Amino acid sequence: MEDITRGGQFLVKETKCENVFTPEDFNEEQIMMRDSVKEFVDKELWAHKDKFEKKDYAYTEQCMRNAGALGFLGVAVPEAYGGLGMGFVNTALVCDYISGATGSFSTAFGAHTGIGTMPITLYGTEEQKQKYVPKLASGEWFGSYCLTEPGAGSDANSGKTKAVLSADGTHYLISGQKMWISNAGFCNVMIVFARIEDDKNITGFIVEYDRENTNGITLGEEEHKLGIRASSTRQVFFNETKVPVENMLAGRGEGFKIAMNALNVGRIKLAAACLEAQRRTISGAVNYANERIQFNTPISSFGAIQAKIAEITTNCYVDESATYRAAGDIQNRIEAREADGNSQQEAELKGVEEYAIECSILKVAVSEDVQHCTDEGIQIFGGMGFSEDTPMESAWRDARIARIYEGTNEINRMLSVGMLVKKAMKGHVDLIGPAMAVAEELMGIPSFDVPDYSEFLAEEKEMIAKLKKSFLMVAGAAVQKFGAELEAHQQLLMAASDMLIEIYMAESAVLRTEKMAKKLGTDKVSDQLAMTQLYLYNAVDIVTQKGKEGIVSFAEGDEQRMMLMGLRRYTKYVNMPNVVKLREQIAAKVIAENKYCF
């Protein structure tokens, strides 16, 4: 695995399709896992969707217990602590397929397995892990994560909750208020972040919660929310809650680091959790479009409906491609670190941290696609889509939170570019070299040779390479102009980030389709090729628009003219795809199969 691309390097290194993991690479164990998760979801969640919409919190808790009995809560937990000890791809896989029926359950599941259990497995002492993790892995106990406060949201390190050491030095007394705490109503363990004295950074604690002996913990009422209605969300108040000193997680002042790393994993898992929701939405919408007759014909035969079906299907295919690509990269990185003698804890932490840029990209892209997908789902159903009798409106409401939690999409957009610039400063990703090369290339005379695109995906790959140049041109010039001050220019960061996101997503689709073509033959992947070409066409438009927005906002005169000329050069097709034809082809396949079928 010496060829592992480091996080963020996708921008400056060519990735070979043989080195990416795709959904077509699932092994037998993974396929069995996927099928057993789907069976659980169909039987326990999808069949009782109304219970979640009616705020049946007890049913959510019951389903969590059943998921624990089937081993689903312990997929990522090492075998030594009662889990299945499976690799990162399996973690993403279970998260994906268990999250498609209702956001209420997927929120409970994600909060418990991710931010509720993982901080202990990754940062806990041996004693802490032995004591808590087996109970969390089996579903005997449930976890929650208490970070957000009324005054501390995106600025997570500004929390006011205090931890005061007792006079005899045996325990801390925690006092403060937390809000939006998922699973608060039925958890037994809380990961609580509090500040000791005037420390710069917060500290993490493992706090037990017993409903009989409350130890100064009180809960607010259940919040009334737009979506995820049966996920327990409450305020938590601590009034001199006694926590033994041995329950501090990692060291004093390490809490902010724990919170940030937990969010990295949470981000890619949130992207995975938005995939099956898209597949089910697409299948439901296509079923309806095939059955709904207007003007004596099924509405699925109308171009306007086919365009919608094609676009949401394409986004889903691309989202799968990118999410499993990153999950595979993270797993490879973890395995490589373990082979180098790192502990499982260290390997996992560093493996995920390495791909923090990709995790932020995925969180933004996939959460926005699932919202668009459910919105188009409502539209295809027409008036029926607006009714609670069809599953579309609840899917749309549940999707809305995905753009807010695990760091808002605005924060994640800025993080993705900010982290990339930091990696460049540290020398982990060479951005400056390639950016200078692009600047030089712009001064030269462009080649007017007609390129040879006879090889499969040749023009698409060249387009991706050109889109990377357009990003390097814009971001490179912005970094030169503003240096470390770039962080203050949020609108520029947002525009650059949209360019970065489209490049990663489009390239992931190209790599997946190319890998499949090498295995099955190009004639077997014509629909996948159509989706790759359609997505790339849309991505080129976004890169053009956002690149232009950036250039005209920070460059003037000759520099601006040169860069706009460069942007035109780097976003120009030799052979434009026939977009309508591509959409018709993709829609025809999905309509014939009567479901999402890739």
Side-chain angles (χ1 to χ4, degrees), residues 46 161 210 345 404 583:
W46 193 255
T161 297
D210 176 351
Q345 265 171 303
I404 298 170
R583 290 199 197 114

Side-chain angles (χ1 to χ4, degrees), residues 514-543:
E514 184 187 11
K515 188 173 189 180
M516 231 185 300
K518 284 191 174 175
K519 199 158 121 192
L520 307 172
T522 53
D523 54 326
K524 296 279 192 293
V525 296
S526 74
D527 298 318
Q528 287 84 349
L529 175 63
M531 290 188 286
T532 304
Q533 290 173 328
L534 178 60
Y535 190 91
L536 180 60
Y537 175 83
N538 292 334
V540 170
D541 268 359
I542 293 168
V543 170

Side-chain angles (χ1 to χ4, degrees), residues 458-470:
E459 181 161 13
E460 289 73 20
K461 285 166 137 180
E462 189 177 284
M463 273 317 285
I464 299 275
K466 290 198 295 193
L467 294 182
K468 290 178 183 180
K469 286 179 180 178
S470 61

